[in-house]
Amino acid sequence: MDPEVISNFLVEQREGAPENLQQNFLDIEDYWDRKLWHQLTDTLITYYHDPASSSQRLPLFRRFILSFAEKINQLKFVSLGLSAATQCSDDRERLTFLTDLTEKVDKPASQDAYVYSLVAASEVKLRLQDYDGARKDLGRAESILDTFDSVETEVHASFYRTNASYYQGKHDFAAYYKNALLYLACIDLKTLSHDDAQARAYDLSVAALISESIYNFGELLLHPILDSLTSTEHAWLRDLLFAFNRGDLAAYNVLENNISKCSLLEEHKTFLWQKISLSALTEAVFRRPPHDRAMTFATISRETHVQPQEIEILIMKALSLGLLRGSIDQVAEIARINWVQPKVLDMKQIDNMRVRLKDWDSSVNQLGHWIEGVGKDVWAA
């Protein structure tokens, strides 16, 4: 493009910019004249981050930035493009814009920028209900990411966020849970607004509860995102998660009335009861010392509130899910458990462990005194 045309365009944009942003244009013109591409890029990124720049982002990108696109960092180029895309009139126009942007950076030396742009396009496809197209793009992005030794966290964050949105739309709650947590691991939580943090915590909590493969909520229970539900109308959901974690049937019965507030939880109400019953079973086993884990069906029925005729099915389910290891004596109606899946403990559970350790310490001391008494002179202190 003719340098004079660009210069005149920048003057027009500067005169049309808010007064507090006109200095940015002076810097932009200066760096462009001197071909200081790195400084120019950083100044443009700062400018684009200002909300007041919104109306000028698209024209600047199309008539100015594209003229030197190959001379700047391609990841930053895509970042500017994504910011400009927010000003497209609708998602159809935005998808066309992002598709062109993706093609521009599809080069061997800029695969990280290609993934960044490709994922952004797939996010728009999700909003347009093109799940097949989005899955194809995300699969391509994932295969490229797997070849990188390292990549900017913003690229990974973008991928995990969009992948989580895909699985949420497909009601694959376990995959959503995994990808949403990976997304949170890639960002600073302070960058999320309170509403966004609360929505993410809500969706993660629901996914954890209704997923058929998630029985250990440790990562979520320890994550600060969950605190965003405290003292809100959804605080009961956080309490419900902790009740499931400790197999607390009494707490579940108190909180059960809130389940109707969430349509997904209401749809899975029968499954939730089965899940809390399994949690109650693992907690009952966990509370017992290792030498006292042969439990009768009657004992299990009493502690889990499950009907006696359904106890064997409950234990078999726990064994098949890997929550417990052991064997069942069908004739004697006894379950012999030798291992229980580790999980995050709350303060009450930790206190129970403290009591058990004290009992163990006491029994060891008693055994030592008995051996010393029986051995007498033979015993060497």
Side-chain angles (χ1 to χ4, degrees), residues 47-62 80-91 93-95 97-98 127:
Y47 177 74
Y48 270 51
H49 282 170
D50 193 309
S53 70
S54 58
S55 63
Q56 294 179 306
R57 292 174 192 167
L58 266 178
L60 262 178
F61 189 86
R62 285 170 168 159
L80 289 167
L82 299 188
S83 185
T86 61
Q87 301 309 304
C88 292
S89 59
D90 57 35
D91 279 335
E93 181 188 349
R94 190 170 294 109
L95 181 58
F97 178 90
L98 291 175
R127 291 201 294 270

PDB file of all heavy atoms in Angstrom, residues 47-62 80-91 93-95 97-98 127:
ATOM      1  N   TYR A  47      -3.301   0.186  22.669  1.00  0.00           N
ATOM      2  CA  TYR A  47      -4.415   0.980  22.141  1.00  0.00           C
ATOM      3  C   TYR A  47      -5.682   0.132  22.007  1.00  0.00           C
ATOM      4  O   TYR A  47      -6.775   0.542  22.391  1.00  0.00           O
ATOM      5  CB  TYR A  47      -4.026   1.570  20.785  1.00  0.00           C
ATOM      6  CG  TYR A  47      -5.135   2.340  20.118  1.00  0.00           C
ATOM      7  CD1 TYR A  47      -5.520   3.596  20.573  1.00  0.00           C
ATOM      8  CD2 TYR A  47      -5.815   1.802  19.012  1.00  0.00           C
ATOM      9  CE1 TYR A  47      -6.548   4.299  19.948  1.00  0.00           C
ATOM     10  CE2 TYR A  47      -6.835   2.488  18.390  1.00  0.00           C
ATOM     11  CZ  TYR A  47      -7.202   3.737  18.855  1.00  0.00           C
ATOM     12  OH  TYR A  47      -8.227   4.420  18.249  1.00  0.00           O
ATOM     13  N   TYR A  48      -5.530  -1.070  21.475  1.00  0.00           N
ATOM     14  CA  TYR A  48      -6.688  -1.949  21.275  1.00  0.00           C
ATOM     15  C   TYR A  48      -7.316  -2.382  22.595  1.00  0.00           C
ATOM     16  O   TYR A  48      -8.510  -2.706  22.645  1.00  0.00           O
ATOM     17  CB  TYR A  48      -6.277  -3.182  20.462  1.00  0.00           C
ATOM     18  CG  TYR A  48      -6.426  -3.017  18.966  1.00  0.00           C
ATOM     19  CD1 TYR A  48      -5.878  -1.908  18.314  1.00  0.00           C
ATOM     20  CD2 TYR A  48      -7.095  -3.953  18.195  1.00  0.00           C
ATOM     21  CE1 TYR A  48      -6.002  -1.747  16.950  1.00  0.00           C
ATOM     22  CE2 TYR A  48      -7.222  -3.810  16.825  1.00  0.00           C
ATOM     23  CZ  TYR A  48      -6.677  -2.697  16.207  1.00  0.00           C
ATOM     24  OH  TYR A  48      -6.809  -2.537  14.847  1.00  0.00           O
ATOM     25  N   HIS A  49      -6.526  -2.423  23.651  1.00  0.00           N
ATOM     26  CA  HIS A  49      -7.055  -2.827  24.952  1.00  0.00           C
ATOM     27  C   HIS A  49      -7.914  -1.742  25.588  1.00  0.00           C
ATOM     28  O   HIS A  49      -8.673  -2.017  26.516  1.00  0.00           O
ATOM     29  CB  HIS A  49      -5.905  -3.184  25.903  1.00  0.00           C
ATOM     30  CG  HIS A  49      -5.336  -4.542  25.638  1.00  0.00           C
ATOM     31  ND1 HIS A  49      -4.175  -5.002  26.228  1.00  0.00           N
ATOM     32  CD2 HIS A  49      -5.764  -5.555  24.847  1.00  0.00           C
ATOM     33  CE1 HIS A  49      -3.919  -6.218  25.800  1.00  0.00           C
ATOM     34  NE2 HIS A  49      -4.869  -6.581  24.963  1.00  0.00           N
ATOM     35  N   ASP A  50      -7.813  -0.529  25.085  1.00  0.00           N
ATOM     36  CA  ASP A  50      -8.618   0.573  25.627  1.00  0.00           C
ATOM     37  C   ASP A  50     -10.035   0.481  25.052  1.00  0.00           C
ATOM     38  O   ASP A  50     -10.208   0.473  23.824  1.00  0.00           O
ATOM     39  CB  ASP A  50      -7.988   1.918  25.255  1.00  0.00           C
ATOM     40  CG  ASP A  50      -8.577   3.072  26.042  1.00  0.00           C
ATOM     41  OD1 ASP A  50      -9.822   3.185  26.079  1.00  0.00           O
ATOM     42  OD2 ASP A  50      -7.807   3.858  26.630  1.00  0.00           O
ATOM     43  N   PRO A  51     -11.059   0.397  25.894  1.00  0.00           N
ATOM     44  CA  PRO A  51     -12.448   0.279  25.397  1.00  0.00           C
ATOM     45  C   PRO A  51     -12.838   1.396  24.430  1.00  0.00           C
ATOM     46  O   PRO A  51     -13.669   1.188  23.536  1.00  0.00           O
ATOM     47  CB  PRO A  51     -13.280   0.344  26.678  1.00  0.00           C
ATOM     48  CG  PRO A  51     -12.360  -0.114  27.762  1.00  0.00           C
ATOM     49  CD  PRO A  51     -11.004   0.377  27.367  1.00  0.00           C
ATOM     50  N   ALA A  52     -12.235   2.575  24.587  1.00  0.00           N
ATOM     51  CA  ALA A  52     -12.597   3.712  23.733  1.00  0.00           C
ATOM     52  C   ALA A  52     -12.130   3.537  22.293  1.00  0.00           C
ATOM     53  O   ALA A  52     -12.539   4.283  21.399  1.00  0.00           O
ATOM     54  CB  ALA A  52     -12.016   5.002  24.321  1.00  0.00           C
ATOM     55  N   SER A  53     -11.272   2.531  22.055  1.00  0.00           N
ATOM     56  CA  SER A  53     -10.739   2.318  20.699  1.00  0.00           C
ATOM     57  C   SER A  53     -11.640   1.441  19.839  1.00  0.00           C
ATOM     58  O   SER A  53     -11.333   1.196  18.669  1.00  0.00           O
ATOM     59  CB  SER A  53      -9.357   1.673  20.782  1.00  0.00           C
ATOM     60  OG  SER A  53      -9.466   0.322  21.232  1.00  0.00           O
ATOM     61  N   SER A  54     -12.736   0.941  20.401  1.00  0.00           N
ATOM     62  CA  SER A  54     -13.539  -0.092  19.747  1.00  0.00           C
ATOM     63  C   SER A  54     -13.951   0.247  18.311  1.00  0.00           C
ATOM     64  O   SER A  54     -13.831  -0.590  17.415  1.00  0.00           O
ATOM     65  CB  SER A  54     -14.783  -0.391  20.589  1.00  0.00           C
ATOM     66  OG  SER A  54     -15.555   0.781  20.773  1.00  0.00           O
ATOM     67  N   SER A  55     -14.396   1.468  18.072  1.00  0.00           N
ATOM     68  CA  SER A  55     -14.906   1.809  16.736  1.00  0.00           C
ATOM     69  C   SER A  55     -13.804   1.864  15.679  1.00  0.00           C
ATOM     70  O   SER A  55     -14.096   1.802  14.476  1.00  0.00           O
ATOM     71  CB  SER A  55     -15.641   3.149  16.793  1.00  0.00           C
ATOM     72  OG  SER A  55     -14.747   4.186  17.160  1.00  0.00           O
ATOM     73  N   GLN A  56     -12.551   1.981  16.092  1.00  0.00           N
ATOM     74  CA  GLN A  56     -11.453   2.119  15.131  1.00  0.00           C
ATOM     75  C   GLN A  56     -10.654   0.829  14.931  1.00  0.00           C
ATOM     76  O   GLN A  56      -9.749   0.785  14.097  1.00  0.00           O
ATOM     77  CB  GLN A  56     -10.505   3.234  15.597  1.00  0.00           C
ATOM     78  CG  GLN A  56     -11.149   4.615  15.581  1.00  0.00           C
ATOM     79  CD  GLN A  56     -10.198   5.688  16.075  1.00  0.00           C
ATOM     80  OE1 GLN A  56      -9.647   5.565  17.165  1.00  0.00           O
ATOM     81  NE2 GLN A  56     -10.003   6.729  15.280  1.00  0.00           N
ATOM     82  N   ARG A  57     -10.994  -0.203  15.676  1.00  0.00           N
ATOM     83  CA  ARG A  57     -10.189  -1.424  15.606  1.00  0.00           C
ATOM     84  C   ARG A  57     -10.236  -2.095  14.232  1.00  0.00           C
ATOM     85  O   ARG A  57      -9.209  -2.468  13.674  1.00  0.00           O
ATOM     86  CB  ARG A  57     -10.652  -2.416  16.683  1.00  0.00           C
ATOM     87  CG  ARG A  57     -10.342  -1.964  18.094  1.00  0.00           C
ATOM     88  CD  ARG A  57     -10.954  -2.897  19.115  1.00  0.00           C
ATOM     89  NE  ARG A  57     -10.910  -2.315  20.461  1.00  0.00           N
ATOM     90  CZ  ARG A  57     -11.583  -2.800  21.496  1.00  0.00           C
ATOM     91  NH1 ARG A  57     -12.337  -3.889  21.348  1.00  0.00           N
ATOM     92  NH2 ARG A  57     -11.489  -2.219  22.674  1.00  0.00           N
ATOM     93  N   LEU A  58     -11.448  -2.276  13.693  1.00  0.00           N
ATOM     94  CA  LEU A  58     -11.573  -2.949  12.394  1.00  0.00           C
ATOM     95  C   LEU A  58     -10.921  -2.156  11.260  1.00  0.00           C
ATOM     96  O   LEU A  58     -10.119  -2.714  10.498  1.00  0.00           O
ATOM     97  CB  LEU A  58     -13.040  -3.227  12.083  1.00  0.00           C
ATOM     98  CG  LEU A  58     -13.578  -4.607  12.478  1.00  0.00           C
ATOM     99  CD1 LEU A  58     -15.055  -4.710  12.158  1.00  0.00           C
ATOM    100  CD2 LEU A  58     -12.810  -5.716  11.762  1.00  0.00           C
ATOM    101  N   PRO A  59     -11.243  -0.857  11.100  1.00  0.00           N
ATOM    102  CA  PRO A  59     -10.597  -0.123  10.010  1.00  0.00           C
ATOM    103  C   PRO A  59      -9.080  -0.062  10.148  1.00  0.00           C
ATOM    104  O   PRO A  59      -8.351  -0.168   9.150  1.00  0.00           O
ATOM    105  CB  PRO A  59     -11.230   1.282  10.090  1.00  0.00           C
ATOM    106  CG  PRO A  59     -11.915   1.346  11.404  1.00  0.00           C
ATOM    107  CD  PRO A  59     -12.263  -0.042  11.765  1.00  0.00           C
ATOM    108  N   LEU A  60      -8.573   0.083  11.365  1.00  0.00           N
ATOM    109  CA  LEU A  60      -7.123   0.096  11.573  1.00  0.00           C
ATOM    110  C   LEU A  60      -6.504  -1.225  11.163  1.00  0.00           C
ATOM    111  O   LEU A  60      -5.439  -1.270  10.536  1.00  0.00           O
ATOM    112  CB  LEU A  60      -6.806   0.377  13.041  1.00  0.00           C
ATOM    113  CG  LEU A  60      -6.452   1.804  13.444  1.00  0.00           C
ATOM    114  CD1 LEU A  60      -6.229   1.890  14.950  1.00  0.00           C
ATOM    115  CD2 LEU A  60      -5.221   2.298  12.695  1.00  0.00           C
ATOM    116  N   PHE A  61      -7.169  -2.307  11.521  1.00  0.00           N
ATOM    117  CA  PHE A  61      -6.623  -3.633  11.200  1.00  0.00           C
ATOM    118  C   PHE A  61      -6.619  -3.853   9.693  1.00  0.00           C
ATOM    119  O   PHE A  61      -5.614  -4.295   9.123  1.00  0.00           O
ATOM    120  CB  PHE A  61      -7.438  -4.725  11.894  1.00  0.00           C
ATOM    121  CG  PHE A  61      -6.826  -6.094  11.784  1.00  0.00           C
ATOM    122  CD1 PHE A  61      -5.873  -6.522  12.700  1.00  0.00           C
ATOM    123  CD2 PHE A  61      -7.186  -6.955  10.755  1.00  0.00           C
ATOM    124  CE1 PHE A  61      -5.285  -7.778  12.589  1.00  0.00           C
ATOM    125  CE2 PHE A  61      -6.606  -8.214  10.642  1.00  0.00           C
ATOM    126  CZ  PHE A  61      -5.652  -8.621  11.565  1.00  0.00           C
ATOM    127  N   ARG A  62      -7.732  -3.551   9.043  1.00  0.00           N
ATOM    128  CA  ARG A  62      -7.861  -3.838   7.616  1.00  0.00           C
ATOM    129  C   ARG A  62      -7.007  -2.933   6.730  1.00  0.00           C
ATOM    130  O   ARG A  62      -6.433  -3.381   5.743  1.00  0.00           O
ATOM    131  CB  ARG A  62      -9.335  -3.726   7.221  1.00  0.00           C
ATOM    132  CG  ARG A  62     -10.182  -4.918   7.688  1.00  0.00           C
ATOM    133  CD  ARG A  62     -11.651  -4.674   7.496  1.00  0.00           C
ATOM    134  NE  ARG A  62     -12.426  -5.907   7.666  1.00  0.00           N
ATOM    135  CZ  ARG A  62     -13.732  -5.933   7.949  1.00  0.00           C
ATOM    136  NH1 ARG A  62     -14.396  -4.789   8.101  1.00  0.00           N
ATOM    137  NH2 ARG A  62     -14.351  -7.083   8.085  1.00  0.00           N
ATOM    138  N   LEU A  80      -4.230  -8.940  17.891  1.00  0.00           N
ATOM    139  CA  LEU A  80      -4.844  -7.713  17.375  1.00  0.00           C
ATOM    140  C   LEU A  80      -6.064  -8.047  16.516  1.00  0.00           C
ATOM    141  O   LEU A  80      -7.090  -7.364  16.580  1.00  0.00           O
ATOM    142  CB  LEU A  80      -3.816  -6.924  16.550  1.00  0.00           C
ATOM    143  CG  LEU A  80      -2.682  -6.260  17.337  1.00  0.00           C
ATOM    144  CD1 LEU A  80      -1.577  -5.803  16.394  1.00  0.00           C
ATOM    145  CD2 LEU A  80      -3.214  -5.083  18.153  1.00  0.00           C
ATOM    146  N   GLY A  81      -5.940  -9.122  15.734  1.00  0.00           N
ATOM    147  CA  GLY A  81      -7.058  -9.536  14.896  1.00  0.00           C
ATOM    148  C   GLY A  81      -8.266  -9.962  15.709  1.00  0.00           C
ATOM    149  O   GLY A  81      -9.408  -9.636  15.370  1.00  0.00           O
ATOM    150  N   LEU A  82      -8.023 -10.698  16.784  1.00  0.00           N
ATOM    151  CA  LEU A  82      -9.132 -11.143  17.639  1.00  0.00           C
ATOM    152  C   LEU A  82      -9.824  -9.953  18.296  1.00  0.00           C
ATOM    153  O   LEU A  82     -11.048  -9.933  18.454  1.00  0.00           O
ATOM    154  CB  LEU A  82      -8.618 -12.098  18.721  1.00  0.00           C
ATOM    155  CG  LEU A  82      -7.963 -13.396  18.244  1.00  0.00           C
ATOM    156  CD1 LEU A  82      -7.675 -14.318  19.420  1.00  0.00           C
ATOM    157  CD2 LEU A  82      -8.834 -14.106  17.221  1.00  0.00           C
ATOM    158  N   SER A  83      -9.037  -8.967  18.670  1.00  0.00           N
ATOM    159  CA  SER A  83      -9.608  -7.762  19.269  1.00  0.00           C
ATOM    160  C   SER A  83     -10.443  -7.006  18.232  1.00  0.00           C
ATOM    161  O   SER A  83     -11.524  -6.496  18.537  1.00  0.00           O
ATOM    162  CB  SER A  83      -8.490  -6.866  19.814  1.00  0.00           C
ATOM    163  OG  SER A  83      -9.020  -5.763  20.490  1.00  0.00           O
ATOM    164  N   ALA A  84      -9.952  -6.944  17.006  1.00  0.00           N
ATOM    165  CA  ALA A  84     -10.697  -6.283  15.939  1.00  0.00           C
ATOM    166  C   ALA A  84     -11.987  -7.039  15.618  1.00  0.00           C
ATOM    167  O   ALA A  84     -13.030  -6.442  15.335  1.00  0.00           O
ATOM    168  CB  ALA A  84      -9.826  -6.179  14.686  1.00  0.00           C
ATOM    169  N   ALA A  85     -11.938  -8.369  15.698  1.00  0.00           N
ATOM    170  CA  ALA A  85     -13.100  -9.201  15.360  1.00  0.00           C
ATOM    171  C   ALA A  85     -14.285  -8.956  16.285  1.00  0.00           C
ATOM    172  O   ALA A  85     -15.430  -9.199  15.901  1.00  0.00           O
ATOM    173  CB  ALA A  85     -12.704 -10.674  15.402  1.00  0.00           C
ATOM    174  N   THR A  86     -14.012  -8.470  17.493  1.00  0.00           N
ATOM    175  CA  THR A  86     -15.124  -8.199  18.422  1.00  0.00           C
ATOM    176  C   THR A  86     -16.050  -7.108  17.886  1.00  0.00           C
ATOM    177  O   THR A  86     -17.178  -6.975  18.358  1.00  0.00           O
ATOM    178  CB  THR A  86     -14.593  -7.760  19.796  1.00  0.00           C
ATOM    179  OG1 THR A  86     -13.825  -6.549  19.652  1.00  0.00           O
ATOM    180  CG2 THR A  86     -13.710  -8.835  20.423  1.00  0.00           C
ATOM    181  N   GLN A  87     -15.584  -6.340  16.909  1.00  0.00           N
ATOM    182  CA  GLN A  87     -16.389  -5.244  16.366  1.00  0.00           C
ATOM    183  C   GLN A  87     -17.138  -5.615  15.090  1.00  0.00           C
ATOM    184  O   GLN A  87     -17.796  -4.766  14.488  1.00  0.00           O
ATOM    185  CB  GLN A  87     -15.481  -4.032  16.098  1.00  0.00           C
ATOM    186  CG  GLN A  87     -14.751  -3.528  17.325  1.00  0.00           C
ATOM    187  CD  GLN A  87     -15.695  -3.290  18.491  1.00  0.00           C
ATOM    188  OE1 GLN A  87     -16.668  -2.545  18.363  1.00  0.00           O
ATOM    189  NE2 GLN A  87     -15.413  -3.944  19.624  1.00  0.00           N
ATOM    190  N   CYS A  88     -17.050  -6.878  14.675  1.00  0.00           N
ATOM    191  CA  CYS A  88     -17.838  -7.325  13.524  1.00  0.00           C
ATOM    192  C   CYS A  88     -19.322  -7.259  13.868  1.00  0.00           C
ATOM    193  O   CYS A  88     -19.718  -7.398  15.030  1.00  0.00           O
ATOM    194  CB  CYS A  88     -17.443  -8.745  13.130  1.00  0.00           C
ATOM    195  SG  CYS A  88     -15.776  -8.882  12.440  1.00  0.00           S
ATOM    196  N   SER A  89     -20.147  -7.076  12.867  1.00  0.00           N
ATOM    197  CA  SER A  89     -21.580  -6.856  13.108  1.00  0.00           C
ATOM    198  C   SER A  89     -22.293  -8.090  13.656  1.00  0.00           C
ATOM    199  O   SER A  89     -23.242  -7.980  14.432  1.00  0.00           O
ATOM    200  CB  SER A  89     -22.263  -6.398  11.811  1.00  0.00           C
ATOM    201  OG  SER A  89     -22.090  -7.370  10.780  1.00  0.00           O
ATOM    202  N   ASP A  90     -21.862  -9.283  13.254  1.00  0.00           N
ATOM    203  CA  ASP A  90     -22.479 -10.511  13.761  1.00  0.00           C
ATOM    204  C   ASP A  90     -21.484 -11.664  13.649  1.00  0.00           C
ATOM    205  O   ASP A  90     -20.378 -11.499  13.126  1.00  0.00           O
ATOM    206  CB  ASP A  90     -23.777 -10.837  13.014  1.00  0.00           C
ATOM    207  CG  ASP A  90     -23.579 -10.963  11.510  1.00  0.00           C
ATOM    208  OD1 ASP A  90     -22.512 -11.459  11.079  1.00  0.00           O
ATOM    209  OD2 ASP A  90     -24.472 -10.557  10.739  1.00  0.00           O
ATOM    210  N   ASP A  91     -21.897 -12.831  14.119  1.00  0.00           N
ATOM    211  CA  ASP A  91     -20.987 -13.982  14.126  1.00  0.00           C
ATOM    212  C   ASP A  91     -20.660 -14.494  12.731  1.00  0.00           C
ATOM    213  O   ASP A  91     -19.580 -15.061  12.516  1.00  0.00           O
ATOM    214  CB  ASP A  91     -21.575 -15.118  14.978  1.00  0.00           C
ATOM    215  CG  ASP A  91     -21.335 -14.914  16.470  1.00  0.00           C
ATOM    216  OD1 ASP A  91     -20.367 -14.207  16.814  1.00  0.00           O
ATOM    217  OD2 ASP A  91     -22.111 -15.449  17.291  1.00  0.00           O
ATOM    218  N   GLU A  93     -20.184 -12.601  10.006  1.00  0.00           N
ATOM    219  CA  GLU A  93     -19.096 -11.741   9.542  1.00  0.00           C
ATOM    220  C   GLU A  93     -17.812 -12.032  10.325  1.00  0.00           C
ATOM    221  O   GLU A  93     -16.713 -12.059   9.765  1.00  0.00           O
ATOM    222  CB  GLU A  93     -19.474 -10.268   9.715  1.00  0.00           C
ATOM    223  CG  GLU A  93     -18.384  -9.312   9.226  1.00  0.00           C
ATOM    224  CD  GLU A  93     -18.671  -7.859   9.577  1.00  0.00           C
ATOM    225  OE1 GLU A  93     -19.800  -7.551  10.006  1.00  0.00           O
ATOM    226  OE2 GLU A  93     -17.741  -7.022   9.442  1.00  0.00           O
ATOM    227  N   ARG A  94     -17.975 -12.291  11.617  1.00  0.00           N
ATOM    228  CA  ARG A  94     -16.814 -12.557  12.467  1.00  0.00           C
ATOM    229  C   ARG A  94     -16.112 -13.847  12.032  1.00  0.00           C
ATOM    230  O   ARG A  94     -14.876 -13.917  12.019  1.00  0.00           O
ATOM    231  CB  ARG A  94     -17.272 -12.648  13.918  1.00  0.00           C
ATOM    232  CG  ARG A  94     -16.138 -12.691  14.945  1.00  0.00           C
ATOM    233  CD  ARG A  94     -16.674 -12.535  16.357  1.00  0.00           C
ATOM    234  NE  ARG A  94     -17.240 -11.203  16.562  1.00  0.00           N
ATOM    235  CZ  ARG A  94     -18.536 -10.942  16.693  1.00  0.00           C
ATOM    236  NH1 ARG A  94     -19.431 -11.925  16.676  1.00  0.00           N
ATOM    237  NH2 ARG A  94     -18.956  -9.711  16.855  1.00  0.00           N
ATOM    238  N   LEU A  95     -16.888 -14.866  11.689  1.00  0.00           N
ATOM    239  CA  LEU A  95     -16.294 -16.133  11.262  1.00  0.00           C
ATOM    240  C   LEU A  95     -15.514 -15.960   9.958  1.00  0.00           C
ATOM    241  O   LEU A  95     -14.411 -16.513   9.804  1.00  0.00           O
ATOM    242  CB  LEU A  95     -17.383 -17.197  11.092  1.00  0.00           C
ATOM    243  CG  LEU A  95     -16.899 -18.584  10.676  1.00  0.00           C
ATOM    244  CD1 LEU A  95     -15.901 -19.143  11.686  1.00  0.00           C
ATOM    245  CD2 LEU A  95     -18.082 -19.543  10.529  1.00  0.00           C
ATOM    246  N   PHE A  97     -14.105 -13.212   8.914  1.00  0.00           N
ATOM    247  CA  PHE A  97     -12.911 -12.445   9.277  1.00  0.00           C
ATOM    248  C   PHE A  97     -11.851 -13.356   9.889  1.00  0.00           C
ATOM    249  O   PHE A  97     -10.669 -13.305   9.523  1.00  0.00           O
ATOM    250  CB  PHE A  97     -13.313 -11.335  10.248  1.00  0.00           C
ATOM    251  CG  PHE A  97     -12.160 -10.497  10.747  1.00  0.00           C
ATOM    252  CD1 PHE A  97     -11.766  -9.357  10.065  1.00  0.00           C
ATOM    253  CD2 PHE A  97     -11.474 -10.840  11.897  1.00  0.00           C
ATOM    254  CE1 PHE A  97     -10.706  -8.580  10.510  1.00  0.00           C
ATOM    255  CE2 PHE A  97     -10.409 -10.080  12.359  1.00  0.00           C
ATOM    256  CZ  PHE A  97     -10.028  -8.942  11.657  1.00  0.00           C
ATOM    257  N   LEU A  98     -12.256 -14.210  10.838  1.00  0.00           N
ATOM    258  CA  LEU A  98     -11.309 -15.074  11.537  1.00  0.00           C
ATOM    259  C   LEU A  98     -10.780 -16.190  10.632  1.00  0.00           C
ATOM    260  O   LEU A  98      -9.636 -16.621  10.775  1.00  0.00           O
ATOM    261  CB  LEU A  98     -11.969 -15.678  12.780  1.00  0.00           C
ATOM    262  CG  LEU A  98     -12.265 -14.684  13.908  1.00  0.00           C
ATOM    263  CD1 LEU A  98     -13.036 -15.359  15.030  1.00  0.00           C
ATOM    264  CD2 LEU A  98     -10.967 -14.089  14.449  1.00  0.00           C
ATOM    265  N   ARG A 127     -20.970 -20.969  18.683  1.00  0.00           N
ATOM    266  CA  ARG A 127     -22.108 -20.054  18.867  1.00  0.00           C
ATOM    267  C   ARG A 127     -23.099 -20.167  17.712  1.00  0.00           C
ATOM    268  O   ARG A 127     -24.293 -19.915  17.880  1.00  0.00           O
ATOM    269  CB  ARG A 127     -21.617 -18.611  19.001  1.00  0.00           C
ATOM    270  CG  ARG A 127     -20.855 -18.341  20.288  1.00  0.00           C
ATOM    271  CD  ARG A 127     -20.842 -16.862  20.623  1.00  0.00           C
ATOM    272  NE  ARG A 127     -20.090 -16.078  19.658  1.00  0.00           N
ATOM    273  CZ  ARG A 127     -18.796 -15.816  19.749  1.00  0.00           C
ATOM    274  NH1 ARG A 127     -18.093 -16.287  20.776  1.00  0.00           N
ATOM    275  NH2 ARG A 127     -18.181 -15.073  18.839  1.00  0.00           N
TER     276      ARG A 127
END
